[in-house]
Amino acid sequence: MSIDTVRTQSDSKPALRSGVTIVTHFVVDVFSFVGVALLPLFAVLLDLPTEQKALLLALGSLCSGAIQPIVAWASDKFDTRALGTLGFVLAILSIGNLGMATNFTQFAILYCLGAVGIGAFHPPAAAIVGHLGGSKRSMMIAIFFLAGMSGGIIGNVFTPRYVEWMTPIVDGEPDPVAGVLALRWFIPIGLAFAVILALSIHKVGHRHSSANEHHVSWDKAERRQRWFAVWVLYVANMIRFSVNMALIYLLVEWTGQRILIDNNATEMTTELGVKASQLNGILQASMQVGMGAIGILLGFTLAARFEKLAFVGLPILGSIALFMIPRAGMIADGADVPIAIGATILTGVGFGAVIPVSISLAQRLLPHRTSLASGLMLGGAWMLAFVGPIIAELVHKGFASKPNTPGFVLDAIGMLPDGLSARLIAGMGLDAGFTSTAVALFLAGLVALLLPHKLIVEVAKH
């Protein structure tokens, strides 16, 4: 029996196999946002300073992104889906045990292992959904993307409340450590989905029968143009993901400040940390709503001739909303939280709605390397997004919060005009962090102007 025959038989239930992969993506992304949603609470429990929170977000991005091109290459090379499932299992075990951490190092190790596992799942999963989608590739990837966004929403909103529900009262005082230890009850649920995923997709290939023929038929100019378009998508996605990661950090800080102001407090307590986590979860979920809602709409309705316009226009519009998040009180006094939620949704549209379109387009540009295309658009770009929270934190807090900054860096800053150097050392504040991130999102839209429109339309049939 030929390999092609085996693949044909294994693909006999594409809707079921796609459905299992999409539902599993929902579960995966519930796990992926557990640490993010609970970061304000863990910051109190583990006494984490601001720079360590930013470092955790950066490490998570780096670890999740770095593993994806590796898994993508191996998945294409050996035509296997197993690495994605193994990554999911690693994530389940690591994230489910975050409550075991008693210091920053332990928490960072578990957090990073979870990020590696989450990252390993995505390229094979996105590739197989695109393959099984056939002519409806963009629509199926948009549904896949929406499932992940929905999982992120649930993870952000549900996790802090779950921990609150599972926190016992001991001698009249809540025991939040017991609450975070209850995350271990997530493990059996995740493992059950990992088994179902393995049974459903491990024998399914993802290469179209004509993919290699298309590849051989390209002349040198077409190969160059296709790869140029892929790298433009990659750079734009890298900026968008960096904005995503920076915004996660900024929202964590903004919600902390907001809770302190609302409670007339000067320092965070465990009780206030829970409240901050709940508000942070709502805002992080709002970001997911914007990414997912418009992402699915574009997947269903966006014609190829309008794809470039979406890549350019949505980030520019999102940058305006991002700029307004910390300035929401200027629009309506006393309504800054709901307005900030609305602006966060629009920001999510700006940097996230075109991500599934970029995956679909990259797969169409490289039909013989669909896992690699998916890995570049997801993890390859995500790997470098770690710079987002680091830069946002530097703009916010300045180099004064970095006692180990090399002397030559401080000397270089000292050579700048006095006003600028002083602000770089002392920090420019949280509003400036939002502003610089908005500028980055605006630049992502400008980068997309380089996409070759004619080629995008031509590959729409693949």
Side-chain angles (χ1 to χ4, degrees):
M1 183 180 294
S2 69
I3 293 176
D4 287 340
T5 302
V6 172
R7 287 179 183 168
T8 300
Q9 291 179 350
S10 65
D11 291 356
S12 60
K13 298 180 180 179
L16 175 62
R17 299 180 192 283
S18 294
V20 168
T21 309
I22 288 168
V23 172
T24 304
H25 189 209
F26 170 86
V27 178
V28 167
D29 277 13
V30 169
F31 276 87
S32 71
F33 281 92
V34 167
V36 171
L38 293 176
L39 190 53
L41 177 58
F42 277 112
V44 176
L45 294 177
L46 303 178
D47 193 25
L48 304 180
T50 300
E51 59 268 21
Q52 287 187 339
K53 289 186 284 184
L55 178 60
L56 279 169
L57 294 174
L59 286 173
S61 172
L62 180 62
C63 292
S64 177
I67 195 65
Q68 290 196 39
I70 298 172
V71 169
W73 174 84
S75 296
D76 279 335
K77 177 72 174 178
F78 302 105
D79 201 16
T80 178
R81 313 282 73 80
L83 295 177
T85 305
L86 291 174
F88 181 26
V89 172
L90 175 63
I92 292 165
L93 298 176
S94 301
I95 295 169
N97 284 296
L98 282 176
M100 297 288 291
T102 59
N103 56 51
F104 170 76
T105 300
Q106 293 175 1
F107 186 82
I109 291 172
L110 289 170
Y111 186 85
C112 290
L113 287 175
V116 167
I118 295 294
F121 166 83
H122 282 83
I128 197 169
V129 170
H131 164 69
L132 294 174
S135 62
K136 298 180 180 179
R137 180 189 297 270
S138 291
M139 184 182 75
M140 294 304 297
I141 291 179
I143 295 173
F144 174 82
F145 185 73
L146 178 63
M149 294 302 98
S150 300
I153 293 168
I154 297 300
N156 276 310
V157 175
F158 172 74
T159 304
R161 299 197 178 279
Y162 169 80
V163 168
E164 183 181 27
W165 295 334
M166 300 298 287
T167 298
I169 304 299
V170 180
D171 297 329
E173 295 292 333
D175 182 9
V177 174
V180 293
L181 283 172
L183 293 172
R184 288 179 293 186
W185 290 108
F186 287 5
I187 293 176
I189 298 173
L191 291 177
F193 276 94
V195 171
I196 295 171
L197 179 70
L199 294 174
S200 299
I201 71 169
H202 278 198
K203 292 183 179 180
V204 180
H206 67 272
R207 300 189 188 105
H208 292 290
S209 58
S210 61
N212 285 326
E213 294 176 9
H214 281 298
H215 180 228
V216 172
S217 69
W218 302 339
D219 60 23
K220 186 175 181 180
E222 183 171 0
R223 290 172 191 266
R224 186 185 300 114
Q225 189 179 40
R226 284 174 178 259
W227 276 104
F228 175 79
V230 168
W231 287 119
V232 170
L233 290 171
Y234 170 79
V235 171
N237 274 11
M238 181 190 70
I239 298 173
R240 284 192 287 265
F241 281 133
S242 297
V243 168
N244 186 182
M245 292 304 299
L247 186 57
I248 290 174
Y249 163 80
L250 293 168
L251 292 176
V252 168
E253 293 301 301
W254 188 83
T255 53
Q257 286 189 9
R258 186 70 212 173
I259 291 299
L260 290 176
I261 292 171
D262 288 347
N263 290 272
N264 295 317
T266 57
E267 61 181 28
M268 193 67 69
T269 64
T270 300
E271 181 181 0
L272 294 179
V274 171
K275 291 182 178 180
S277 284
Q278 291 174 351
L279 178 57
N280 176 55
I282 291 172
L283 283 166
Q284 303 289 353
S286 299
M287 186 167 57
Q288 303 294 317
V289 169
M291 296 170 70
I294 304 302
I296 189 70
L297 179 64
L298 294 181
F300 275 82
T301 64
L302 187 64
R305 65 182 182 276
F306 296 122
E307 285 184 346
K308 181 174 180 177
L309 178 62
F311 281 118
V312 174
L314 291 181
I316 291 175
L317 293 175
S319 69
I320 299 172
L322 176 50
F323 176 80
M324 292 305 302
I325 291 174
R327 301 167 177 87
M330 297 169 55
I331 299 175
D333 188 31
D336 50 340
V337 170
I339 292 175
I341 290 173
T344 303
I345 291 173
L346 293 176
T347 302
V349 172
F351 68 74
V354 293
I355 297 297
V357 181
S358 74
I359 298 169
S360 173
L361 177 55
Q363 289 182 3
R364 283 179 271 141
L365 289 165
L366 302 177
H368 62 302
R369 291 286 185 268
T370 55
S371 277
L372 179 60
S374 304
L376 284 173
M377 294 306 106
L378 290 167
W382 190 259
M383 176 175 60
L384 298 177
F386 74 92
V387 301
I390 291 178
I391 293 175
E393 195 264 343
L394 280 174
V395 174
H396 175 202
K397 294 285 188 177
F399 285 90
S401 65
K402 303 288 184 296
N404 297 322
T405 301
F408 72 88
V409 174
L410 296 177
D411 290 341
I413 294 173
M415 297 173 63
L416 299 172
D418 291 342
L420 178 58
S421 63
R423 297 189 71 187
L424 288 175
I425 294 295
M428 301 182 189
L430 198 56
D431 286 7
F434 278 96
T435 300
S436 61
T437 307
V439 170
L441 184 54
F442 188 89
L443 290 176
L446 297 184
V447 168
L449 287 170
L450 298 173
L451 286 170
H453 175 72
K454 183 179 179 181
L455 178 63
I456 292 174
V457 174
E458 288 176 352
V459 302
K461 60 182 178 292
H462 293 166

